Structure formats: C-alpha cells, structure tokens
Amino acid sequence: MPAIVEPDADGPYFHTGAGYDFHDRTVSRHLVHRSSVSEVLITGWQSTGPYDFLLGAQWPRLHGFYRLPGDRHHDPVLMAETVRQAALLIGHVGFGVPRGHHFALDELCYSLGPDGLDGLAITGAPAALMLRANCQDVRMRHGRLASLRVHVEVERDGRPVGRAAVQLRALSPAAYARLREPSRRAAAPWLPPACTKPQMAGREQAADVVLGPSPVPGSWLLRADVHHPVLSEPSLDHVPGMVVLEAARQAAQRLRHPDPVVPVELVSSFSGFIELDRPCLVRAVRESRIAAGAGADAPSVPVRVLLTQDDRTVAECRLLTAPADGGAAERRPGGPDRDPGLPLAC
C-alpha cells in the first residue's frame, strides 16, 4: 500500500479540512509538469483512500488553444489534458514520486457522458469540474512507484460529463536516461512546413496546425513545434503525448472536411517515444461503423489514426467523430455499463 505524502512547500495545500475549496487556486505547476501556470487545470485535491482521490479542475470560458468552432462547447480534448495532469499529480502527491522524475504515457482515453457535448456547454462562468479518480494496476519496485492506471469520472455541477483513463510509468532520472540514450541525437528538431489551409485541420492559425504535407495519399507529416506555447514543454526531448492526440484530431478533421467535427470519444496508445529530429508519418482511415459498435444511421464516424516513425508504429488513436454542433443529438445511456461507440479501455 502506498503512503500518502504531504506536498512540500511547492505543493497546492497542506491540508484539506472543513470548508476546503477545490477551485480556489491552481496546484503547483511542477506537480502536473507544466512550465506555464496559465496551463495548469487542476485546482485542488484530497485523498479519499489509499487508491482513491478527489480532485478539482477548472476550464476557462474560452481556452486559447483547446476550443471548438462557434465557441458553444468546451473542447473534449481538454478533458484528456485534464486527466493527464490529474494522473501526474496523483503520482507525485499520492505515491511519493519525487520532483524531477519522469512519467511515460502508455495509454490515454476519454468518452463523453450521457449529455454528450451539451454537458460541456460554455456558460458565463468557468467550468468547475470534480474528478473522482481510482488507481488500479499499481506496481511498486524497490519501494517506488513503477506504473499505475488511473480511472477518472468527471462531473460538472453534480452531473457526469465524461470518463477517462490514463496509464503511466514512473522513471527515475537515471532510468529515463538509459531508456532514451539509444534514440537521442544531436540534430536539431525537424519541422515540416505547415498546411496551406489551417481550416482544413479545424484550426484558424497556421501555428496551431500539427500536420504537414506528405507525398503519401491520406497521410501527413507530424509537425511538433518545440516553441508552441501550449503543446510544447521546454524540458521534453520527444514529442509530447498531447501533440499526438491533436494530430489524430486534426487528421480526422481532414478526412471529414468541410464538415466540422469533434472527437466525442478517443482511445490512444503509445508503443514508443516519437523523436523530434526525424519524420513521423500520420495516417488516418475511416473505420466501419459496425466494427466500431456504432449504428448504421448514427451521425458519428469512427476514424483510426496511426503514427509511424523509422518504419514502426509508435502511436495509435481511435476516435469517434461527431458533428461539432451535435449536442444532445448524440446522447446515449451513461454509466460504466453502456455500450460505447468505441471499445474504450476506460
């Protein structure tokens, strides 16, 4: 059983007594591995058991990067970033992973709740969320956390708006160096040109496009700009996992252009680090609705995205894309027993 540790002076709070406000201020940026305080989404936490945690999170009314056309709903991909930060914080404050250690992302998935996009409607106030997290498959090695899986139920105003799961590995600086050394090169990051029409990828600015032109039909080259203010982190020597999710979303949008779509469900898995100094191919294909578990008359379209580098698959994403203005039209029964459009591992 892991020991629940108190945060140090850089931690968010020293106690969670009566009247504790889960949305009063953000936690320390170091606990969620963000260099910018403005990109910290977790706003409070407490342990409710050795493997259970309650966390607060807040989304701005309009995020500078994660936003949908028309600004009627919050971007569901923001849920992925929120639970990713939650899992990192749990690793540090719940299982004692020291500051300066690394986490490797193996899986990340989410699905929306029974209200669909309507549950993520933008209102006149920031979205205050509560995350109920349960840790499973916790593995310790020599008294240190080696890996864990975090399942999260996301609520807004007491209503379920989504669920997610994250699989992480914890690595000491020495272990991380041994793992990364064979792939590290001295070359500068490689960046292909941006797509000529950002709108085809669902973006307004060329700087936010993570897909570059490729000679292979139905494929693009990954653009991982190390200077991007939201997607990049100066300390990383590889492509961040959220860049992969954004590439999958944009590739799915390219397939469905000109209709704007949103990923209401997403499953991603990572089989290796994606290096910054050489090309990575992003290929997207439509999947059959029957294979994905969606009805023949459903407005949603399943898409599979593969990322390959050095002739091997390094990441795979499966998305269920729905019309960006679908709202309640895509409602389905909620809860852990429902039959999702994709076989989520959540």
Side-chain angles (χ1 to χ4, degrees):
M1 180 181 297
I4 306 301
V5 299
E6 287 292 334
D8 58 20
D10 292 325
Y13 293 91
F14 289 99
H15 61 83
T16 54
Y20 177 75
D21 188 347
F22 279 90
H23 303 100
D24 182 54
R25 54 174 173 155
T26 61
V27 302
S28 168
R29 60 190 175 91
H30 303 294
L31 293 174
V32 296
H33 294 201
R34 296 297 292 180
S35 58
S36 173
V37 174
S38 64
E39 294 303 323
V40 176
L41 302 173
I42 305 300
T43 54
W45 68 276
Q46 69 177 178
S47 59
T48 56
Y51 297 96
D52 299 287
F53 297 85
L54 189 61
L55 304 98
Q58 189 180 81
W59 296 347
R61 282 169 284 185
L62 288 179
H63 193 276
F65 178 79
Y66 293 109
R67 58 193 302 179
L68 299 179
D71 293 329
R72 295 177 52 220
H73 303 98
H74 292 283
D75 184 355
V77 181
L78 197 57
M79 187 180 299
E81 171 61 10
T82 302
V83 298
R84 186 190 72 86
Q85 291 188 17
L88 293 172
L89 181 141
I90 288 172
H92 284 299
V93 303
F95 294 89
V97 176
R99 178 175 168 179
H101 283 221
H102 301 264
F103 286 92
L105 179 64
D106 290 331
E107 296 179 14
L108 177 56
C109 65
Y110 71 80
S111 63
L112 296 190
D115 291 335
L117 278 177
D118 281 352
L120 303 185
I122 292 176
T123 65
L129 307 175
M130 293 301 299
L131 282 62
R132 302 185 183 275
N134 171 255
C135 301
Q136 302 179 8
D137 300 328
V138 178
R139 299 183 181 183
M140 309 293 288
R141 183 179 296 117
H142 305 302
R144 292 281 192 185
L145 179 70
S147 65
L148 83 164
R149 185 175 185 84
V150 182
H151 291 257
V152 181
E153 299 288 339
V154 184
E155 299 176 358
R156 182 184 187 186
D157 299 326
R159 292 183 57 84
V161 295
R163 59 205 302 246
V166 187
Q167 179 81 33
L168 293 173
R169 283 176 290 136
L171 301 165
S172 68
Y176 183 79
R178 288 193 299 269
L179 181 65
R180 296 291 295 131
E181 194 60 38
S183 301
R184 284 175 172 167
R185 296 182 181 179
W190 180 84
L191 192 68
C195 297
T196 55
K197 296 181 179 179
Q199 291 74 16
M200 295 183 68
R203 287 294 172 187
E204 295 294 329
Q205 305 295 328
D208 291 335
V209 176
V210 299
L211 301 177
S214 164
V216 182
S219 300
W220 302 270
L221 291 173
L222 183 65
R223 297 188 75 254
D225 185 358
V226 296
H227 301 296
H228 193 280
V230 175
L231 293 177
S232 68
E233 282 296 323
S235 61
L236 290 181
D237 61 358
H238 59 273
V239 174
M242 290 306 297
V243 173
V244 173
L245 268 61
E246 182 61 26
R249 181 245 289 279
Q250 292 187 18
Q253 179 60 69
R254 288 293 300 266
L255 283 185
R256 299 200 60 185
H257 182 76
D259 299 324
V261 295
V262 57
V264 294
E265 298 186 11
L266 188 147
V267 180
S268 63
S269 60
F270 303 81
S271 56
F273 293 96
I274 302 178
E275 305 302 334
L276 293 163
D277 60 358
R278 45 197 184 269
C280 177
L281 194 67
V282 181
R283 182 171 180 265
V285 294
R286 294 181 185 229
E287 289 193 308
S288 70
R289 301 176 191 272
I290 296 178
D297 58 347
S300 57
V301 174
V303 176
R304 183 183 184 212
V305 180
L306 292 175
L307 285 82
T308 58
Q309 188 175 65
D310 298 333
D311 297 323
R312 72 183 186 95
T313 300
V314 287
E316 178 178 356
C317 299
R318 298 181 66 200
L319 309 89
L320 192 65
T321 60
D325 59 352
E330 192 64 14
R331 290 182 182 177
R332 286 176 290 173
D337 298 325
R338 76 171 177 84
D339 180 22
L342 294 176
L344 287 180
C346 299

